[in-house]
Amino acid sequence: MGLRVLGAAWLLAALLPLGAAAAVAAPEQTGVAAVAGRRAIASTAEDFICATLDWWPPDKCDYGTCAWGRAGLLNLDLSNKVLLNAVRAFSPLKLRLGGSLQDKVLYGTGDLRQPCTPFVKNESEMFGFTKGCLPLRRWDELNAFFQKSGAKIVFGLNAMNGRVPLPDGSMGGPWDYTNAASLIGYTAGKGYQIHGWELGNELSGTGVGTRIGAGQYASDVITLKKIVDAIYRSNPSKPLVLAPGGFFDQGWFTELIVKTKPNQFNVITHHIYNLGAGRDTHLIEKILNPSVLDNMLSAFSNLQGILKSTGTSTVAWVGEAGGAYNSGHHLVTDAFVFSFWFLDQLGMSAKYDTKTYCRQSLIGGNYGLLNTTTFQPNPDYYSALLWHRLMGTKVLATTFKGTNKIRAYAHCARDSPGITLLLINLSGSTKIQVSVTQTGAAAGGHNHGAGKGNFTIQASVATKASAAAAAVEHKHGGRRHGRRFGHGHGHAPGFAGFPAAGGGATRDEYHLTPKGGDLRSQVMMLNGRALATGADGSIPRLEPVKVDAAQPIAVAPYSVVFARIPHFQAPACS
């Protein structure tokens, strides 16, 4: 009989969408996370979240699919209301304009001695396209949109002008900056606000398509700095100078920093596509695998080490990160499951003093924060917006023990007392009950600066709620009949002595789940409610559930929780 029941349960799980099996029964597990609140281990920029706009034309195709449509910088519909509202919601959102074709872009300024024509598909050319041109009329249109939306713009310049092939296969000779300097001069003359000018795309290390040596790149960056200094000399808000917009290579990046220190450029940018090709059929397994997520730790750590040891004022950004290269993978990198990778990347990079993180892309390909044709936000858009609104600039050391399926990150709360805790549950079968208690010292792990006065987030054993009750709570957003979303009813041990936690203290919780429990869903549920734009193209309100601070935080299988805890007294945040 037992075997027959087990078989039926297995059959039911097999018939459900990926991730939905969790709704059948969610056993609970305990664990301990420690947040060191005494001092910050790192800090991010106020506008940490950034997204990219790319140059790809509609006939850019990968593996037989053309996923870019009219989302490129030369043809994007800038009058779309959702696009405007999506950017405005961040106030501000950094936008990095660049990508593979950036080093083939000419600018239609007065010095251009040829017609300003668009990219044309040509398989014999690098990246499959000829050179293309940005007409000044389009540059004016783009800047009008940026001004209206309040975006902060980083523009990636063509670093390939004037290069000659060298015997070793790389490109050499000094950068011909004439056309770029002309665009910078035009932009400054028009009063367009540019946050930064970035030199080149993926030419560092072994390069993508081609490469340039670090020594030559360093002298070109110094040239760009001189151009920016000269053009903006009377301007109080001088743009940043960024480079190289490529993949991290320890030796190459070290040489660039050493030859430009202490202050020849402001930001060193690196790119991340650590999940492999977009055609990979194992992307979801990789995203749910903690050791795959951890494979970027060394790059973040090593780059931070170079910056600290060389005595430079340059800081690190992630300049482009799409996870899976060649435009991503439909119903993976544009679906709920990708928020596990994306939020984990934001948390991990912030711990290593990354100041800004630019997601590829705002729109276009299969990894856009917005749908390429409808402009509707994909799940990661809401993940990014919640991060932007809840996670402050100060990063707190955080560890979790008990299961490697929980990823935990904490920052001082943004514009609010206390902290915001981010919990990501990579398990599709186990619900984690997390309760909060004070402790004198934090556990080990990647715990930079843990010490006295730390906090522990402790998972407590809670009674197993029936699947039916859990489903009812989930369906009604946890607000019906006085139930709180996703919580057991047992009082958590370890809350005694928690400062101001008793006597009606509450915290805000934001539970993110996929519609129908399907990891491939493109609809994000917030506290059981589907997020969608209004008829007028407005971005929906992101409302928390108020939870009794004495109750544990329940992290459902395959879910993400942001918990804003105002009574968490972290000296680092005062």
Side-chain angles (χ1 to χ4, degrees):
M1 183 65 186
L3 279 175
R4 218 179 302 166
V5 171
L6 189 65
W10 177 87
L11 181 62
L12 178 60
L15 293 172
L16 286 166
L18 188 58
V24 177
E28 292 172 358
Q29 197 171 330
T30 66
V32 177
V35 178
R38 198 159 183 81
R39 61 189 179 92
I41 54 165
S43 67
T44 66
E46 284 279 348
D47 41 19
F48 175 67
I49 299 286
C50 165
T52 65
L53 287 170
D54 212 311
W55 292 100
W56 290 118
D59 46 355
K60 149 73 169 169
C61 307
D62 300 281
Y63 321 121
T65 303
C66 309
W68 282 86
R70 297 180 64 80
L73 282 160
L74 295 178
N75 52 38
L76 180 63
D77 177 9
L78 301 173
S79 68
N80 186 283
K81 284 181 184 172
V82 179
L83 178 67
L84 178 65
N85 291 332
V87 176
R88 263 188 184 157
F90 283 83
S91 63
L93 178 64
K94 274 187 190 136
L95 291 176
R96 180 250 184 183
L97 318 185
S100 298
L101 295 182
Q102 137 184 353
D103 291 313
K104 307 185 90 168
V105 179
L106 302 171
Y107 317 115
T109 51
D111 69 292
L112 189 67
R113 302 279 181 257
Q114 62 189 79
C116 188
T117 54
F119 297 104
V120 177
K121 201 170 180 68
N122 183 338
E123 295 300 344
S124 66
E125 294 257 1
M126 187 169 75
F127 305 126
F129 287 90
T130 62
K131 287 180 179 177
C133 180
L134 170 65
L136 291 183
R137 182 187 69 255
R138 179 61 175 177
W139 185 227
D140 294 338
E141 290 169 2
L142 285 163
N143 278 282
F145 172 79
F146 301 148
Q147 196 170 358
K148 197 173 175 184
S149 64
K152 291 174 81 166
I153 302 307
V154 172
F155 188 92
L157 295 163
N158 177 350
M160 286 294 288
N161 266 354
R163 307 289 187 191
V164 293
L166 297 180
D168 66 359
S170 69
M171 299 297 286
W175 173 48
D176 178 352
Y177 55 80
T178 319
N179 193 218
S182 189
L183 179 71
I184 295 170
Y186 174 84
T187 303
K190 293 286 266 188
Y192 298 150
Q193 292 298 306
I194 300 293
H195 188 63
W197 296 99
E198 184 177 31
L199 184 65
N201 185 82
E202 296 178 357
L203 299 168
S204 57
T206 54
V208 176
T210 189
R211 67 186 196 275
I212 294 170
Q216 179 60 60
Y217 218 97
S219 65
D220 298 330
V221 168
I222 291 167
T223 298
L224 175 58
K225 178 78 163 62
K226 288 175 181 169
I227 293 166
V228 170
D229 285 348
I231 290 174
Y232 291 91
R233 63 181 173 275
S234 59
N235 192 318
S237 55
K238 191 195 300 181
L240 302 173
V241 172
L242 306 88
F247 291 96
F248 179 70
D249 176 295
Q250 182 135 4
W252 197 101
F253 272 55
T254 302
E255 186 178 347
L256 177 66
I257 288 290
V258 167
K259 289 185 173 173
T260 54
K261 70 176 189 178
N263 55 7
Q264 288 297 321
F265 77 119
N266 307 101
V267 179
I268 192 159
T269 49
H270 66 114
H271 292 182
I272 296 174
Y273 289 90
N274 63 320
L275 299 175
R279 74 192 303 171
D280 190 331
T281 55
H282 300 287
L283 287 175
I284 289 181
E285 293 100 293
K286 287 182 175 182
I287 292 163
L288 297 174
N289 184 337
S291 62
V292 172
L293 295 180
D294 282 341
N295 69 17
M296 281 305 298
L297 280 170
S298 61
F300 290 130
S301 175
N302 291 342
L303 179 52
Q304 186 190 40
I306 295 168
L307 296 176
K308 280 184 173 174
S309 65
T310 50
T312 181
S313 62
T314 304
V315 298
W317 289 17
V318 171
E320 183 186 312
Y325 58 82
N326 290 345
S327 304
H329 191 114
H330 182 44
L331 298 184
V332 179
T333 55
D334 54 4
F336 178 85
V337 69
F338 209 50
S339 276
F340 293 145
W341 178 85
F342 183 39
L343 287 170
D344 189 66
Q345 277 281 303
L346 295 179
M348 188 189 300
S349 64
K351 277 172 62 171
Y352 290 94
D353 226 32
T354 302
K355 302 303 182 188
T356 292
Y357 191 107
C358 300
R359 166 62 179 264
Q360 173 86 344
S361 62
L362 175 63
I363 187 165
N366 287 317
Y367 36 35
L369 297 180
L370 306 177
N371 182 286
T372 303
T373 49
T374 67
F375 290 78
Q376 284 299 309
N378 284 324
D380 280 2
Y381 173 83
Y382 296 113
S383 293
L385 189 54
L386 279 169
W387 176 288
H388 178 73
R389 291 180 179 176
L390 297 173
M391 305 290 268
T393 59
K394 291 179 180 176
V395 187
L396 304 174
T398 310
T399 55
F400 192 94
K401 282 189 175 178
T403 168
N404 69 345
K405 293 292 188 178
I406 287 280
R407 314 287 285 186
Y409 299 99
H411 286 219
C412 294
R414 187 180 181 111
D415 303 328
S416 165
I419 66 158
T420 301
L421 178 66
L422 168 62
L423 297 165
I424 302 166
N425 190 355
L426 302 175
S427 169
S429 59
T430 308
K431 178 178 176 180
I432 312 294
Q433 292 283 2
V434 180
S435 52
V436 185
T437 173
Q438 277 191 342
T439 183
H446 309 298
N447 202 355
H448 325 266
K452 291 178 185 173
N454 297 336
F455 240 73
T456 295
I457 316 292
Q458 210 169 35
S460 68
V461 183
T463 55
K464 292 184 182 180
S466 72
V472 169
E473 282 194 32
H474 184 82
K475 185 176 178 184
H476 297 291
R479 286 176 248 193
R480 198 158 179 188
H481 312 306
R483 287 198 191 99
R484 291 189 177 83
F485 178 83
H487 286 279
H489 303 294
H491 191 285
F495 270 86
F498 189 81
T506 61
R507 65 175 176 261
D508 290 340
E509 291 184 4
Y510 301 78
H511 292 253
L512 304 179
T513 51
K515 186 177 182 182
D518 183 0
L519 288 179
R520 295 178 185 269
S521 174
Q522 292 186 282
V523 177
M524 173 79 90
M525 310 292 286
L526 171 60
N527 297 329
R529 182 176 65 88
L531 294 172
T533 58
D536 58 352
S538 58
I539 300 301
R541 290 171 67 84
L542 304 179
E543 302 281 12
V545 286
K546 294 278 184 192
V547 177
D548 179 350
Q551 290 291 322
I553 301 169
V555 190
Y558 284 154
S559 78
V560 171
V561 180
F562 285 94
R564 184 162 56 189
I565 309 171
H567 51 271
F568 187 122
Q569 293 175 358
C573 304
S574 57

